Amino acid sequence: MADEHSNMMLPNKQVVLKNYVEGYPKESDFELRSSVICCQISQGSNGLFVKNLYLGCDPYMRHRMSSHKSKDVPLLVSFKPGSVITGLGVAKVIKSANTDFEEGDYIWGMTGWEDYSLILNPNGLFKIKYTDVPLSYYAGILGMPGLAAYIGFNNVCSAKEGDVVYVSSAAGGVGQLVGQLAKMKGCYVVGSASTDEKVNLLKSELGFDDAFNYKEGNDLVGALKRHFPRGIDIYFENVGGNMLDEVLLHMNLYGRIAVSGMISQYNLKKPDGIHNLFCLITKRLRMEGFSELDFRHKVPEYLEFAIQLIREKKLLFVEDIAERLENAASAFVGIYHGRNVGKQIIQVSTD
């Protein structure tokens, strides 16, 4: 055991939710707290003591910052004010009382927004097999966002060569991968994003056939008409609200809509209504929501698919990394204002 971990108590910075969030999250909703943590694991425990390396800023976490109950989706159970934020991240095992994990292993899964975490229930953690790629990838392309893109596109979209695919929030952690997967299928792919910088990224680096800034000119209807003169066969939904409502009118017969997220709705007290659902009938559309939680058994399959493509630079991933826990609140708040370019990740430590 390294000397720095030989003492029972270690200093431990933590990001804490001060109060339940109303509307858009603000930096003042969070507090950086200096604490200490015991690095000893109780005899007979199945737990792990880990050093956190990277944390994912995932939009779904906003739901956990409001007061509500969610029996169907454990990941959406509310945080308690005063408690440490938890989310998906990458960590190094410092001490283990679990036979599936050894000291020095790298893992990804649910952990705390803090320097160190004591994980008493390691179910749902994955040991990292491949370390020849950036470890931060396991908070993105090789973690939950990657699996969500893979499952959503392959299991819901039923894509075929020549399909016209539209991806909203296309420069985010999931959207940028969906676009690349669609191109591999021979589809024509258009993405939308909130800034010209992101639009250029989609077209110049990530291989999208076209992209547009949906905020430009405040003319979403006109943008959809210009970019989809032949209509849309597949819509990968990450935004919701007015975006979904307008897209329904541009879908082709027998189109498919994979609902991965609705980031435009997460901060609203009263979600926007959808007025064009009759299109599901007239156009014989199939719209399906999904959660990667139901497909964790597919992680090994997805990993083998993705890792070789990454090594060959045939599957790219853009990250926006904020360094240190001191900048965690700002990074998280920024994803709801489009400040991140690529998947927003917090680097807690390099190792």
Side-chain angles (χ1 to χ4, degrees), residues 166-176 191-194 202 214 235-236 238-239 243 263:
Y166 174 40
V167 185
S168 59
S169 192
V174 176
Q176 60 175 295
S192 63
S194 60
L202 294 174
Y214 70 90
Y235 174 44
F236 199 95
N238 291 305
V239 172
M243 177 73 76
I263 194 170

Side-chain angles (χ1 to χ4, degrees), residues 123-254:
N123 292 335
L125 295 180
F126 293 91
K127 185 186 295 187
I128 291 176
K129 181 178 179 181
Y130 302 111
T131 57
D132 59 328
V133 296
L135 287 173
S136 58
Y137 276 16
Y138 291 90
I141 186 173
L142 294 176
M144 180 274 286
L147 182 63
Y150 180 76
I151 293 300
F153 187 71
N154 289 318
N155 284 37
V156 179
C157 294
S158 303
K160 58 185 183 297
E161 186 175 355
D163 276 344
V164 176
V165 177
Y166 174 40
V167 185
S168 59
S169 192
V174 176
Q176 60 175 295
L177 298 173
V178 172
Q180 294 177 79
L181 295 175
K183 287 302 299 177
M184 291 176 192
K185 283 275 191 178
C187 300
Y188 180 82
V189 185
V190 179
S192 63
S194 60
T195 69
D196 291 342
E197 179 185 6
K198 295 178 184 179
V199 167
N200 291 333
L201 174 72
L202 294 174
K203 294 193 289 186
S204 64
E205 295 187 34
L206 295 173
F208 282 64
D209 294 293
D210 205 352
F212 63 94
N213 181 344
Y214 70 90
K215 291 186 175 181
E216 192 172 81
N218 197 28
D219 184 20
L220 176 61
V221 175
L224 291 173
K225 287 180 178 179
R226 289 192 300 274
H227 291 278
F228 300 103
R230 296 187 291 118
I232 301 168
D233 298 306
I234 293 171
Y235 174 44
F236 199 95
E237 165 69 303
N238 291 305
V239 172
N242 184 56
M243 177 73 76
L244 173 59
D245 216 18
E246 292 298 338
V247 167
L248 284 168
L249 297 174
H250 291 80
M251 294 296 296
N252 289 330
L253 278 176
Y254 307 108

Side-chain angles (χ1 to χ4, degrees), residues 265-277:
Q265 305 300 293
Y266 298 164
N267 299 302
L268 303 180
K269 286 186 177 180
K270 184 178 180 181
D272 294 330
I274 303 299
H275 306 283
N276 295 319
L277 287 176

